[in-house]
Amino acid sequence: MLTNQEFRVKVGLAEMLKGGVIMDVTNAEQARIAQEAGACAVMALERVPSDIRRDGGVARMAPISKIREIMKEVSIPVMAKARIGHFMEARILESLGVDFIDESEVLTPADEEHHIAKRDFKVPFVCGARNLGEALRRIAEGAAMIRTKGEAGSGNIVEAVRHMRTIIKEMKQLTVLGKEELVHEAKKLQAPLELVEYCAQHGKLPVPNFSAGGIATPADAALVMQLGAQAVFVGSGIFKSNDPEMRARAVVKAATYYNDPQKLLEASEELGIGMPGLDISKIAEGELMQTRGW
Amino acid sequence: MKPIVGILALQGDFDAHAAAVNAAGGNAVEVRNSAELQVVDALIIPGGESTTMLKLIGIENLTEPLAIFGKTKPIFGTCAGAILLAKEVTHPVQFSFNLMDITVERNAYGRQVDSTIAQLSGGDLKGPLAGLELEAVFIRAPIIRRTGTPVKVLATYNGDPVLVQQGLHMAATFHPELASFNPVHKLFIEGLKPSASKAS
């Protein structure tokens, strides 16, 4: 599966996004600002996660007219979200010609047992994960990119950190195991042996591993990059701050210079006020987005 | 001595290029500022988003150091990198370094669903690549719409030039760094060795 040509073309686009920032946008104007600030892609959605959290109700795929308007506005790749398991939203987005689909826990799940069978699509998919087993199940279904789930719309990096550390640690542990032990690990991880063996051999996922869910500052972006993320998604963090343009530029700079404290200091100066943050323990369990999907 | 090949690591698939350079007999180092640029023998500008790279090149004052570097040292650009090396860029029009006499149209094949892997052989490959085989991975690729007289075409796909050379520099619209067999990095790195000057 990993050497299949169609799959390699999908992973190829994910490779191109490394070292970059993918920004949530809800209209053409925001998409233009994101591109102008140096975003490597934009994610088209109807409401940013913090608004979804505030308003409640059912969150669905963005209106087609909005996505089309964003695709017309920018030359960088445009992603859009489909609900977990909603393969017909995904088919519609594929027909529209979006460059990547995020099968996302930020939207209200359409199926509580099944994720989309993503190998059947020509368009690549990104999916969220909290641990290695979840990441490998999504890759087995055809995801060409993994991102941490974090806790979207919280402005709190703690969950993204937990998920990235967990995935990286679980991969490191595989690298010291023997063949028969990997079979047992595959059973525990509920993931295909082929993918478990790949991680054991290479110490990394067979697809790019990005971070999302709570990144609000340049320092947050640099932190998850240090922990092993190869690029970052910023949702509410940009357009819920009081100066989106400046913050967008600052996070872009941080994703490139995550290893250079002087540049990170420059990026962090004169940032203004960030989005308000939420204490995860104050979010009712039923309102957590990261527990959607399995 | 292995040539030191810098990979411009502002954004894009720079780690895939580093692996390809090391496999082809070079010594890859990441370049993110002008001090790091000064110590490399050659530079690769990887695939990624050309608008993002241009933004960071501007903010970090790398425009002049890169232009000066390109006057005396070899640069190989793939996809977004080829766009940055061109004389002229269309769809949309944007700044480029004018190091190769080519006109490049961005995203010319369409969107991601139009991305593909092509096997090039026979009449597609010319000069030093003649007789070889090449796997060309196109990801939201640009098309070289015009080549000036000093530009040598080393590979074509459906009649369009996809790998070109002018003096020290090379540009590819595809991604040799993602190919399962890849003679292109070897060609670039062989060209950096002192003995190669008589061959060109």
Side-chain angles (χ1 to χ4, degrees), chain A residues 203-251:
Chain A
K204 59 173 194 170
L205 295 177
V207 304
N209 184 12
F210 291 7
S211 186
I215 295 155
T217 68
D220 289 347
L223 177 63
V224 291
M225 297 283 289
Q226 289 286 350
L227 293 178
Q230 294 165 317
V232 297
F233 287 79
V234 186
S236 323
I238 305 275
F239 289 99
K240 285 290 164 186
S241 71
N242 71 343
D243 188 345
E245 280 180 76
M246 186 176 278
R247 188 162 293 257
R249 277 201 303 273
V251 178

mmCIF file of all heavy atoms in Angstrom, chain A residues 203-251:
data_model
loop_
_atom_site.group_PDB
_atom_site.id
_atom_site.type_symbol
_atom_site.label_atom_id
_atom_site.label_comp_id
_atom_site.label_asym_id
_atom_site.label_seq_id
_atom_site.Cartn_x
_atom_site.Cartn_y
_atom_site.Cartn_z
ATOM 1 N N GLY A 203 11.403 4.519 12.770
ATOM 2 C CA GLY A 203 11.238 5.428 13.905
ATOM 3 C C GLY A 203 10.348 6.606 13.595
ATOM 4 O O GLY A 203 10.361 7.623 14.295
ATOM 5 N N LYS A 204 9.590 6.524 12.521
ATOM 6 C CA LYS A 204 8.660 7.609 12.164
ATOM 7 C C LYS A 204 7.460 7.036 11.427
ATOM 8 O O LYS A 204 7.493 5.878 10.981
ATOM 9 C CB LYS A 204 9.365 8.654 11.315
ATOM 10 C CG LYS A 204 9.943 8.101 10.022
ATOM 11 C CD LYS A 204 10.499 9.203 9.128
ATOM 12 C CE LYS A 204 10.726 8.630 7.733
ATOM 13 N NZ LYS A 204 11.039 9.566 6.713
ATOM 14 N N LEU A 205 6.415 7.827 11.276
ATOM 15 C CA LEU A 205 5.237 7.394 10.537
ATOM 16 C C LEU A 205 5.565 7.308 9.044
ATOM 17 O O LEU A 205 6.439 8.035 8.569
ATOM 18 C CB LEU A 205 4.089 8.403 10.721
ATOM 19 C CG LEU A 205 3.488 8.577 12.117
ATOM 20 C CD1 LEU A 205 2.413 9.670 12.083
ATOM 21 C CD2 LEU A 205 2.889 7.271 12.613
ATOM 22 N N PRO A 206 4.832 6.479 8.308
ATOM 23 C CA PRO A 206 5.062 6.425 6.862
ATOM 24 C C PRO A 206 4.479 7.624 6.112
ATOM 25 O O PRO A 206 4.588 7.697 4.888
ATOM 26 C CB PRO A 206 4.378 5.126 6.437
ATOM 27 C CG PRO A 206 3.421 4.803 7.510
ATOM 28 C CD PRO A 206 3.918 5.421 8.771
ATOM 29 N N VAL A 207 3.836 8.532 6.809
ATOM 30 C CA VAL A 207 3.310 9.763 6.183
ATOM 31 C C VAL A 207 3.725 10.940 7.075
ATOM 32 O O VAL A 207 4.060 10.742 8.245
ATOM 33 C CB VAL A 207 1.763 9.731 6.044
ATOM 34 C CG1 VAL A 207 1.301 8.504 5.276
ATOM 35 C CG2 VAL A 207 1.080 9.792 7.404
ATOM 36 N N PRO A 208 3.695 12.181 6.530
ATOM 37 C CA PRO A 208 4.057 13.329 7.370
ATOM 38 C C PRO A 208 3.172 13.450 8.613
ATOM 39 O O PRO A 208 1.977 13.117 8.588
ATOM 40 C CB PRO A 208 3.881 14.514 6.415
ATOM 41 C CG PRO A 208 4.205 13.934 5.073
ATOM 42 C CD PRO A 208 3.583 12.568 5.107
ATOM 43 N N ASN A 209 3.796 13.936 9.685
ATOM 44 C CA ASN A 209 3.186 13.987 11.007
ATOM 45 C C ASN A 209 3.142 15.451 11.453
ATOM 46 O O ASN A 209 4.167 16.032 11.775
ATOM 47 C CB ASN A 209 4.073 13.135 11.936
ATOM 48 C CG ASN A 209 3.527 12.997 13.331
ATOM 49 O OD1 ASN A 209 2.378 13.344 13.602
ATOM 50 N ND2 ASN A 209 4.358 12.498 14.231
ATOM 51 N N PHE A 210 1.952 16.053 11.415
ATOM 52 C CA PHE A 210 1.802 17.471 11.704
ATOM 53 C C PHE A 210 1.103 17.645 13.061
ATOM 54 O O PHE A 210 0.638 16.681 13.656
ATOM 55 C CB PHE A 210 0.976 18.167 10.606
ATOM 56 C CG PHE A 210 1.672 18.265 9.261
ATOM 57 C CD1 PHE A 210 2.890 17.641 9.020
ATOM 58 C CD2 PHE A 210 1.094 18.984 8.224
ATOM 59 C CE1 PHE A 210 3.529 17.731 7.777
ATOM 60 C CE2 PHE A 210 1.722 19.085 6.978
ATOM 61 C CZ PHE A 210 2.932 18.460 6.755
ATOM 62 N N SER A 211 1.024 18.901 13.519
ATOM 63 C CA SER A 211 0.351 19.127 14.793
ATOM 64 C C SER A 211 -0.802 20.117 14.633
ATOM 65 O O SER A 211 -0.721 21.065 13.852
ATOM 66 C CB SER A 211 1.342 19.663 15.831
ATOM 67 O OG SER A 211 0.689 19.745 17.084
ATOM 68 N N ALA A 212 -1.885 19.875 15.381
ATOM 69 C CA ALA A 212 -3.048 20.763 15.363
ATOM 70 C C ALA A 212 -3.735 20.692 16.712
ATOM 71 O O ALA A 212 -3.468 19.796 17.512
ATOM 72 C CB ALA A 212 -4.020 20.322 14.262
ATOM 73 N N GLY A 213 -4.606 21.666 16.971
ATOM 74 C CA GLY A 213 -5.475 21.591 18.142
ATOM 75 C C GLY A 213 -4.970 22.355 19.334
ATOM 76 O O GLY A 213 -4.568 21.750 20.334
ATOM 77 N N GLY A 214 -4.988 23.692 19.264
ATOM 78 C CA GLY A 214 -4.643 24.505 20.430
ATOM 79 C C GLY A 214 -3.457 25.420 20.226
ATOM 80 O O GLY A 214 -3.041 26.110 21.161
ATOM 81 N N ILE A 215 -2.889 25.443 19.001
ATOM 82 C CA ILE A 215 -1.723 26.295 18.743
ATOM 83 C C ILE A 215 -2.183 27.746 18.583
ATOM 84 O O ILE A 215 -2.995 28.048 17.712
ATOM 85 C CB ILE A 215 -0.965 25.811 17.492
ATOM 86 C CG1 ILE A 215 -0.393 24.418 17.762
ATOM 87 C CG2 ILE A 215 0.131 26.784 17.085
ATOM 88 C CD1 ILE A 215 -0.165 23.596 16.528
ATOM 89 N N ALA A 216 -1.680 28.626 19.456
ATOM 90 C CA ALA A 216 -2.156 30.019 19.438
ATOM 91 C C ALA A 216 -1.026 31.040 19.308
ATOM 92 O O ALA A 216 -1.276 32.201 19.003
ATOM 93 C CB ALA A 216 -2.958 30.310 20.719
ATOM 94 N N THR A 217 0.216 30.641 19.545
ATOM 95 C CA THR A 217 1.330 31.594 19.533
ATOM 96 C C THR A 217 2.515 31.015 18.744
ATOM 97 O O THR A 217 2.574 29.799 18.520
ATOM 98 C CB THR A 217 1.831 31.877 20.967
ATOM 99 O OG1 THR A 217 2.449 30.672 21.474
ATOM 100 C CG2 THR A 217 0.710 32.286 21.894
ATOM 101 N N PRO A 218 3.478 31.889 18.364
ATOM 102 C CA PRO A 218 4.697 31.391 17.726
ATOM 103 C C PRO A 218 5.416 30.388 18.636
ATOM 104 O O PRO A 218 5.948 29.372 18.158
ATOM 105 C CB PRO A 218 5.550 32.642 17.526
ATOM 106 C CG PRO A 218 4.600 33.787 17.562
ATOM 107 C CD PRO A 218 3.453 33.369 18.430
ATOM 108 N N ALA A 219 5.403 30.640 19.934
ATOM 109 C CA ALA A 219 6.065 29.724 20.869
ATOM 110 C C ALA A 219 5.394 28.349 20.861
ATOM 111 O O ALA A 219 6.074 27.315 20.913
ATOM 112 C CB ALA A 219 6.052 30.317 22.278
ATOM 113 N N ASP A 220 4.065 28.327 20.779
ATOM 114 C CA ASP A 220 3.342 27.043 20.686
ATOM 115 C C ASP A 220 3.778 26.270 19.448
ATOM 116 O O ASP A 220 4.023 25.060 19.497
ATOM 117 C CB ASP A 220 1.825 27.273 20.570
ATOM 118 C CG ASP A 220 1.180 27.780 21.858
ATOM 119 O OD1 ASP A 220 1.835 27.724 22.916
ATOM 120 O OD2 ASP A 220 0.015 28.237 21.772
ATOM 121 N N ALA A 221 3.854 26.986 18.317
ATOM 122 C CA ALA A 221 4.237 26.337 17.053
ATOM 123 C C ALA A 221 5.636 25.748 17.185
ATOM 124 O O ALA A 221 5.875 24.594 16.806
ATOM 125 C CB ALA A 221 4.182 27.345 15.898
ATOM 126 N N ALA A 222 6.564 26.537 17.761
ATOM 127 C CA ALA A 222 7.949 26.063 17.911
ATOM 128 C C ALA A 222 8.003 24.863 18.854
ATOM 129 O O ALA A 222 8.760 23.914 18.625
ATOM 130 C CB ALA A 222 8.832 27.193 18.428
ATOM 131 N N LEU A 223 7.180 24.874 19.893
ATOM 132 C CA LEU A 223 7.163 23.772 20.865
ATOM 133 C C LEU A 223 6.785 22.450 20.197
ATOM 134 O O LEU A 223 7.484 21.441 20.343
ATOM 135 C CB LEU A 223 6.196 24.096 22.002
ATOM 136 C CG LEU A 223 6.004 23.016 23.071
ATOM 137 C CD1 LEU A 223 7.299 22.717 23.816
ATOM 138 C CD2 LEU A 223 4.908 23.414 24.061
ATOM 139 N N VAL A 224 5.685 22.443 19.455
ATOM 140 C CA VAL A 224 5.270 21.177 18.829
ATOM 141 C C VAL A 224 6.247 20.743 17.737
ATOM 142 O O VAL A 224 6.463 19.547 17.522
ATOM 143 C CB VAL A 224 3.808 21.198 18.312
ATOM 144 C CG1 VAL A 224 2.835 21.235 19.480
ATOM 145 C CG2 VAL A 224 3.558 22.339 17.347
ATOM 146 N N MET A 225 6.884 21.716 17.062
ATOM 147 C CA MET A 225 7.908 21.356 16.058
ATOM 148 C C MET A 225 9.103 20.697 16.758
ATOM 149 O O MET A 225 9.668 19.724 16.261
ATOM 150 C CB MET A 225 8.380 22.593 15.286
ATOM 151 C CG MET A 225 7.311 23.299 14.460
ATOM 152 S SD MET A 225 6.838 22.516 12.892
ATOM 153 C CE MET A 225 8.281 22.782 11.881
ATOM 154 N N GLN A 226 9.479 21.225 17.919
ATOM 155 C CA GLN A 226 10.580 20.621 18.689
ATOM 156 C C GLN A 226 10.230 19.192 19.097
ATOM 157 O O GLN A 226 11.092 18.325 19.168
ATOM 158 C CB GLN A 226 10.874 21.442 19.959
ATOM 159 C CG GLN A 226 11.535 22.772 19.707
ATOM 160 C CD GLN A 226 13.007 22.664 19.334
ATOM 161 O OE1 GLN A 226 13.608 21.608 19.438
ATOM 162 N NE2 GLN A 226 13.574 23.765 18.874
ATOM 163 N N LEU A 227 8.962 18.955 19.384
ATOM 164 C CA LEU A 227 8.540 17.625 19.841
ATOM 165 C C LEU A 227 8.416 16.629 18.689
ATOM 166 O O LEU A 227 8.198 15.446 18.916
ATOM 167 C CB LEU A 227 7.203 17.726 20.583
ATOM 168 C CG LEU A 227 7.254 18.493 21.909
ATOM 169 C CD1 LEU A 227 5.860 18.571 22.524
ATOM 170 C CD2 LEU A 227 8.216 17.841 22.889
ATOM 171 N N GLY A 228 8.533 17.118 17.443
ATOM 172 C CA GLY A 228 8.507 16.185 16.314
ATOM 173 C C GLY A 228 7.500 16.495 15.230
ATOM 174 O O GLY A 228 7.448 15.784 14.222
ATOM 175 N N ALA A 229 6.682 17.544 15.403
ATOM 176 C CA ALA A 229 5.748 17.916 14.339
ATOM 177 C C ALA A 229 6.538 18.454 13.150
ATOM 178 O O ALA A 229 7.551 19.125 13.333
ATOM 179 C CB ALA A 229 4.778 18.980 14.830
ATOM 180 N N GLN A 230 6.072 18.146 11.932
ATOM 181 C CA GLN A 230 6.791 18.597 10.733
ATOM 182 C C GLN A 230 6.136 19.828 10.113
ATOM 183 O O GLN A 230 6.667 20.414 9.165
ATOM 184 C CB GLN A 230 6.863 17.449 9.740
ATOM 185 C CG GLN A 230 7.731 16.309 10.292
ATOM 186 C CD GLN A 230 7.564 15.014 9.556
ATOM 187 O OE1 GLN A 230 6.451 14.610 9.226
ATOM 188 N NE2 GLN A 230 8.667 14.338 9.299
ATOM 189 N N ALA A 231 4.986 20.221 10.622
ATOM 190 C CA ALA A 231 4.303 21.445 10.198
ATOM 191 C C ALA A 231 3.154 21.636 11.184
ATOM 192 O O ALA A 231 2.875 20.741 11.992
ATOM 193 C CB ALA A 231 3.753 21.331 8.782
ATOM 194 N N VAL A 232 2.509 22.797 11.152
ATOM 195 C CA VAL A 232 1.421 23.040 12.106
ATOM 196 C C VAL A 232 0.153 23.562 11.422
ATOM 197 O O VAL A 232 0.215 24.233 10.407
ATOM 198 C CB VAL A 232 1.834 24.047 13.213
ATOM 199 C CG1 VAL A 232 2.971 23.481 14.049
ATOM 200 C CG2 VAL A 232 2.223 25.388 12.632
ATOM 201 N N PHE A 233 -0.961 23.208 12.021
ATOM 202 C CA PHE A 233 -2.255 23.782 11.658
ATOM 203 C C PHE A 233 -2.612 24.796 12.743
ATOM 204 O O PHE A 233 -2.488 24.504 13.931
ATOM 205 C CB PHE A 233 -3.355 22.713 11.687
ATOM 206 C CG PHE A 233 -3.307 21.720 10.559
ATOM 207 C CD1 PHE A 233 -2.410 20.658 10.590
ATOM 208 C CD2 PHE A 233 -4.179 21.815 9.491
ATOM 209 C CE1 PHE A 233 -2.378 19.717 9.561
ATOM 210 C CE2 PHE A 233 -4.164 20.879 8.460
ATOM 211 C CZ PHE A 233 -3.253 19.830 8.488
ATOM 212 N N VAL A 234 -3.069 25.977 12.331
ATOM 213 C CA VAL A 234 -3.570 26.927 13.311
ATOM 214 C C VAL A 234 -5.020 27.232 12.963
ATOM 215 O O VAL A 234 -5.325 27.665 11.856
ATOM 216 C CB VAL A 234 -2.743 28.227 13.344
ATOM 217 C CG1 VAL A 234 -3.213 29.113 14.486
ATOM 218 C CG2 VAL A 234 -1.267 27.914 13.523
ATOM 219 N N GLY A 235 -5.890 26.966 13.908
ATOM 220 C CA GLY A 235 -7.315 27.150 13.686
ATOM 221 C C GLY A 235 -7.752 28.517 14.143
ATOM 222 O O GLY A 235 -7.504 29.528 13.487
ATOM 223 N N SER A 236 -8.358 28.549 15.305
ATOM 224 C CA SER A 236 -8.903 29.797 15.822
ATOM 225 C C SER A 236 -7.810 30.799 16.191
ATOM 226 O O SER A 236 -8.066 31.992 16.293
ATOM 227 C CB SER A 236 -9.745 29.492 17.062
ATOM 228 O OG SER A 236 -10.450 28.277 16.892
ATOM 229 N N GLY A 237 -6.592 30.301 16.405
ATOM 230 C CA GLY A 237 -5.493 31.111 16.934
ATOM 231 C C GLY A 237 -5.186 32.374 16.146
ATOM 232 O O GLY A 237 -4.785 33.378 16.719
ATOM 233 N N ILE A 238 -5.353 32.337 14.821
ATOM 234 C CA ILE A 238 -5.014 33.506 13.995
ATOM 235 C C ILE A 238 -6.163 34.514 13.993
ATOM 236 O O ILE A 238 -6.007 35.667 14.428
ATOM 237 C CB ILE A 238 -4.726 33.086 12.533
ATOM 238 C CG1 ILE A 238 -3.637 32.029 12.475
ATOM 239 C CG2 ILE A 238 -4.428 34.321 11.662
ATOM 240 C CD1 ILE A 238 -2.235 32.473 12.476
ATOM 241 N N PHE A 239 -7.330 34.099 13.510
ATOM 242 C CA PHE A 239 -8.390 35.079 13.259
ATOM 243 C C PHE A 239 -9.230 35.396 14.503
ATOM 244 O O PHE A 239 -10.151 36.189 14.443
ATOM 245 C CB PHE A 239 -9.240 34.656 12.054
ATOM 246 C CG PHE A 239 -8.467 34.801 10.769
ATOM 247 C CD1 PHE A 239 -7.861 33.715 10.163
ATOM 248 C CD2 PHE A 239 -8.280 36.057 10.194
ATOM 249 C CE1 PHE A 239 -7.105 33.860 9.006
ATOM 250 C CE2 PHE A 239 -7.527 36.220 9.034
ATOM 251 C CZ PHE A 239 -6.937 35.112 8.443
ATOM 252 N N LYS A 240 -8.893 34.766 15.639
ATOM 253 C CA LYS A 240 -9.517 35.149 16.904
ATOM 254 C C LYS A 240 -8.571 36.018 17.736
ATOM 255 O O LYS A 240 -8.881 36.345 18.883
ATOM 256 C CB LYS A 240 -9.919 33.899 17.704
ATOM 257 C CG LYS A 240 -11.151 33.206 17.146
ATOM 258 C CD LYS A 240 -12.391 34.044 17.381
ATOM 259 C CE LYS A 240 -13.549 33.587 16.505
ATOM 260 N NZ LYS A 240 -14.713 34.495 16.617
ATOM 261 N N SER A 241 -7.410 36.375 17.177
ATOM 262 C CA SER A 241 -6.517 37.288 17.883
ATOM 263 C C SER A 241 -6.830 38.710 17.424
ATOM 264 O O SER A 241 -7.586 38.896 16.465
ATOM 265 C CB SER A 241 -5.064 36.937 17.578
ATOM 266 O OG SER A 241 -4.756 37.278 16.235
ATOM 267 N N ASN A 242 -6.241 39.707 18.082
ATOM 268 C CA ASN A 242 -6.637 41.073 17.721
ATOM 269 C C ASN A 242 -5.862 41.649 16.528
ATOM 270 O O ASN A 242 -6.213 42.702 16.019
ATOM 271 C CB ASN A 242 -6.569 42.009 18.940
ATOM 272 C CG ASN A 242 -5.136 42.292 19.344
ATOM 273 O OD1 ASN A 242 -4.226 41.565 18.944
ATOM 274 N ND2 ASN A 242 -4.944 43.339 20.120
ATOM 275 N N ASP A 243 -4.811 40.947 16.068
ATOM 276 C CA ASP A 243 -4.114 41.380 14.857
ATOM 277 C C ASP A 243 -3.726 40.149 14.028
ATOM 278 O O ASP A 243 -2.588 39.680 14.067
ATOM 279 C CB ASP A 243 -2.864 42.200 15.229
ATOM 280 C CG ASP A 243 -2.223 42.842 13.997
ATOM 281 O OD1 ASP A 243 -2.564 42.437 12.862
ATOM 282 O OD2 ASP A 243 -1.382 43.734 14.182
ATOM 283 N N PRO A 244 -4.701 39.605 13.273
ATOM 284 C CA PRO A 244 -4.477 38.347 12.552
ATOM 285 C C PRO A 244 -3.271 38.391 11.610
ATOM 286 O O PRO A 244 -2.512 37.415 11.546
ATOM 287 C CB PRO A 244 -5.764 38.152 11.749
ATOM 288 C CG PRO A 244 -6.798 38.911 12.496
ATOM 289 C CD PRO A 244 -6.085 40.087 13.097
ATOM 290 N N GLU A 245 -3.067 39.505 10.904
ATOM 291 C CA GLU A 245 -1.982 39.547 9.926
ATOM 292 C C GLU A 245 -0.631 39.360 10.593
ATOM 293 O O GLU A 245 0.204 38.581 10.149
ATOM 294 C CB GLU A 245 -1.990 40.890 9.187
ATOM 295 C CG GLU A 245 -3.025 40.923 8.107
ATOM 296 C CD GLU A 245 -3.036 42.248 7.381
ATOM 297 O OE1 GLU A 245 -2.137 42.484 6.567
ATOM 298 O OE2 GLU A 245 -3.960 43.038 7.651
ATOM 299 N N MET A 246 -0.442 40.107 11.686
ATOM 300 C CA MET A 246 0.841 40.047 12.361
ATOM 301 C C MET A 246 1.052 38.671 13.004
ATOM 302 O O MET A 246 2.129 38.097 12.939
ATOM 303 C CB MET A 246 0.929 41.151 13.411
ATOM 304 C CG MET A 246 2.298 41.226 14.044
ATOM 305 S SD MET A 246 2.425 42.601 15.175
ATOM 306 C CE MET A 246 2.749 43.934 14.040
ATOM 307 N N ARG A 247 -0.015 38.141 13.606
ATOM 308 C CA ARG A 247 0.114 36.836 14.256
ATOM 309 C C ARG A 247 0.377 35.744 13.220
ATOM 310 O O ARG A 247 1.190 34.849 13.445
ATOM 311 C CB ARG A 247 -1.152 36.512 15.062
ATOM 312 C CG ARG A 247 -1.009 35.250 15.916
ATOM 313 C CD ARG A 247 -2.057 35.206 16.994
ATOM 314 N NE ARG A 247 -1.850 36.258 17.971
ATOM 315 C CZ ARG A 247 -1.321 36.070 19.191
ATOM 316 N NH1 ARG A 247 -0.993 34.855 19.589
ATOM 317 N NH2 ARG A 247 -1.162 37.075 20.000
ATOM 318 N N ALA A 248 -0.284 35.842 12.075
ATOM 319 C CA ALA A 248 -0.070 34.847 11.016
ATOM 320 C C ALA A 248 1.391 34.866 10.572
ATOM 321 O O ALA A 248 2.032 33.818 10.456
ATOM 322 C CB ALA A 248 -1.001 35.133 9.837
ATOM 323 N N ARG A 249 1.934 36.062 10.349
ATOM 324 C CA ARG A 249 3.350 36.171 9.940
ATOM 325 C C ARG A 249 4.273 35.600 11.014
ATOM 326 O O ARG A 249 5.255 34.925 10.724
ATOM 327 C CB ARG A 249 3.717 37.643 9.704
ATOM 328 C CG ARG A 249 3.331 38.167 8.339
ATOM 329 C CD ARG A 249 4.158 39.396 7.979
ATOM 330 N NE ARG A 249 4.049 40.466 8.956
ATOM 331 C CZ ARG A 249 3.116 41.400 8.951
ATOM 332 N NH1 ARG A 249 2.184 41.395 8.006
ATOM 333 N NH2 ARG A 249 3.084 42.338 9.866
ATOM 334 N N ALA A 250 3.932 35.874 12.277
ATOM 335 C CA ALA A 250 4.777 35.425 13.386
ATOM 336 C C ALA A 250 4.799 33.902 13.491
ATOM 337 O O ALA A 250 5.839 33.291 13.740
ATOM 338 C CB ALA A 250 4.283 36.047 14.691
ATOM 339 N N VAL A 251 3.636 33.265 13.299
ATOM 340 C CA VAL A 251 3.588 31.798 13.415
ATOM 341 C C VAL A 251 4.329 31.159 12.231
ATOM 342 O O VAL A 251 5.017 30.144 12.393
ATOM 343 C CB VAL A 251 2.129 31.288 13.526
ATOM 344 C CG1 VAL A 251 2.097 29.770 13.607
ATOM 345 C CG2 VAL A 251 1.441 31.874 14.756
#
